[in-house]
């Protein structure tokens, strides 16, 4: 079994695992956002003035527990994603041409002790392979530790989400009982503002003419002129 191939495959598996752990944080974040919306809705629409005091106290306790585990979930998500502000130190190959540099570093050493290495059957290629294996082992050990740490934090955050959902479910039942029996009445305040104008309001206009009456058994009569309305009396001069 080729050790380098085995270690190289393990190294790339841990790289894929790191990416999948980072991607798996999107689902908890979406669930936490929905939980906040539900908590806001039930708190703003619960009728605290009416209803059973025990159920109201139980409702408040469940909401407090839900909020605490919501904060706990945020705490572990931050640890899982970026270890707060510290971040995670992953290890990788030194550079793209690190194998060439290993040959350049080990060649003088091999030439100096070539006779001893030939007696034991050690070649320059085996020395380089040994260094490559050591680099891969260091990278894998470090990256496995980081991924396991991330996975543990993510597991704790998912456990907190489950408790949040359960407490929110039971508090929603209490909210539904309160909402059905003691629904809050919406009070609308209507303000009537009268705008007074300083302009003079004209009186009603003169009435129109009376319609002409036509009798079938009589001759039509030409209507006379419209009477002139009486003039307003002139006020006496002072």
């Amino acid at each position: 079994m080729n050790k380098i191939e085995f270690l190289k495959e393990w190294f790339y598996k841990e790289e894929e695992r790191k990416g999948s752990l980072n991607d798996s944080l999107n689902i908890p974040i979406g669930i936490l956002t929905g939980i906040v919306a539900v908590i806001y809705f039930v708190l703003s629409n619960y009728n605290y003035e009416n209803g059973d005091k025990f159920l109201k106290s139980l409702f408040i306790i469940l909401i407090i527990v839900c909020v605490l585990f919501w904060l706990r979930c945020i705490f572990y998500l931050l640890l899982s994603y970026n270890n707060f502000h510290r971040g995670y130190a992953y290890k990788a190959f030194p550079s793209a041409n690190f194998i060439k540099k290993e040959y350049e570093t080990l060649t003088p050493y091999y030439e100096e002790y070539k006779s001893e290495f030939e007696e034991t059957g050690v070649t320059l290629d085996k020395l380089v392979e040994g260094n490559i294996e050591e680099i891969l082992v260091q990278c894998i050990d470090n990256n496995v530790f980081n991924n396991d740490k991330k996975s543990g934090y993510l597991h704790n955050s998912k456990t907190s989400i489950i408790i949040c959902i359960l407490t929110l479910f039971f508090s929603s039942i209490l909210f539904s009982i309160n909402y059905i029996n003691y629904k809050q009445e919406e009070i609308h305040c209507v303000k009537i503002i009268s705008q007074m104008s300083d302009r003079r309001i004209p009186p009603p206009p003169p009435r129109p003419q009376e319609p002409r009456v036509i009798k079938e058994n009589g001759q039509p009569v030409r209507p006379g002129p419209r009477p002139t309305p009486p003039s307003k009396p002139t006020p006496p001069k002072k």
Side-chain angles (χ1 to χ4, degrees):
M1 185 177 183
N2 194 331
K3 291 183 180 180
I4 293 182
E5 290 297 326
F6 173 77
L7 294 174
K8 184 175 68 174
E9 184 178 356
W10 191 356
F11 172 79
Y12 287 122
K13 287 292 182 181
E14 291 301 322
E15 289 293 314
E16 295 176 1
R17 186 183 172 203
K18 178 181 71 173
S20 63
L21 286 172
N22 291 334
D23 294 339
S24 61
L25 297 175
N26 296 328
I27 297 177
I29 292 173
I31 296 174
L32 290 175
T33 305
I35 290 175
V36 170
V38 176
I39 291 175
Y40 174 78
F41 176 79
V42 297
L43 286 179
S44 58
N45 290 277
Y46 192 89
N47 193 337
Y48 299 95
E49 298 179 357
N50 300 319
D52 186 82
K53 293 183 178 180
F54 173 75
L55 295 179
K56 180 173 67 176
S57 302
L58 183 60
F59 171 78
I60 295 174
I61 291 173
L62 288 174
I63 292 296
I64 292 175
V65 172
C66 183
V67 172
L68 290 177
F69 277 96
W70 186 90
L71 294 174
R72 182 176 183 267
C73 181
I74 291 293
F75 173 76
Y76 281 113
L77 282 179
L78 291 175
L79 285 176
S80 177
Y81 181 69
N82 200 33
N83 199 16
F84 285 120
H85 63 281
R86 294 186 294 272
Y88 289 95
Y90 282 88
K91 290 186 178 181
F93 298 121
S95 62
N97 60 344
F98 78 100
I99 296 179
K100 179 181 178 182
K101 290 184 178 179
E102 289 295 327
Y103 272 102
E104 293 175 354
T105 304
L106 290 173
T107 297
Y109 169 76
Y110 179 79
E111 293 296 334
E112 183 178 354
Y113 301 98
K114 186 175 182 180
S115 58
E116 289 81 359
F117 286 136
E118 287 179 351
E119 293 178 0
T120 56
V122 176
T123 61
L124 179 61
D125 293 335
K126 288 184 177 180
L127 291 177
V128 174
E129 288 179 1
N131 283 6
I132 294 174
E133 288 180 10
E134 185 177 350
I135 293 173
L136 284 171
V137 168
Q138 291 179 9
C139 294
I140 291 171
D141 287 341
N142 180 79
N143 297 349
V144 166
F145 176 78
N146 287 337
N147 288 338
D148 289 344
K149 198 174 181 180
K150 276 189 171 186
S151 180
Y153 290 147
L154 188 60
H155 172 75
N156 291 336
S157 67
K158 290 179 179 178
T159 304
S160 300
I161 287 179
I162 293 174
I163 298 175
C164 282
I165 293 174
L166 290 176
T167 53
L168 193 59
F169 172 75
F170 290 114
S171 61
S172 298
I173 295 176
L174 299 177
F175 168 78
S176 300
I177 296 172
N178 178 271
Y179 187 80
I180 293 172
N181 297 327
Y182 310 101
K183 183 178 180 181
Q184 292 183 0
E185 296 181 358
E186 296 182 358
I187 300 175
H188 299 278
C189 296
V190 179
K191 294 183 179 180
I192 301 175
I193 302 175
S194 60
Q195 296 180 352
M196 301 299 295
S197 177
D198 296 335
R199 295 180 303 172
R200 186 177 61 177
I201 300 176
R207 292 183 58 80
Q209 302 179 43
E210 296 292 334
R212 185 164 62 97
V213 179
I214 301 176
K215 294 184 179 181
E216 293 182 352
N217 58 352
Q219 296 296 326
V221 180
R222 185 184 301 277
R226 183 177 181 182
T228 303
S231 60
K232 294 182 180 180
T234 305
K237 297 181 179 180
K238 294 181 180 181

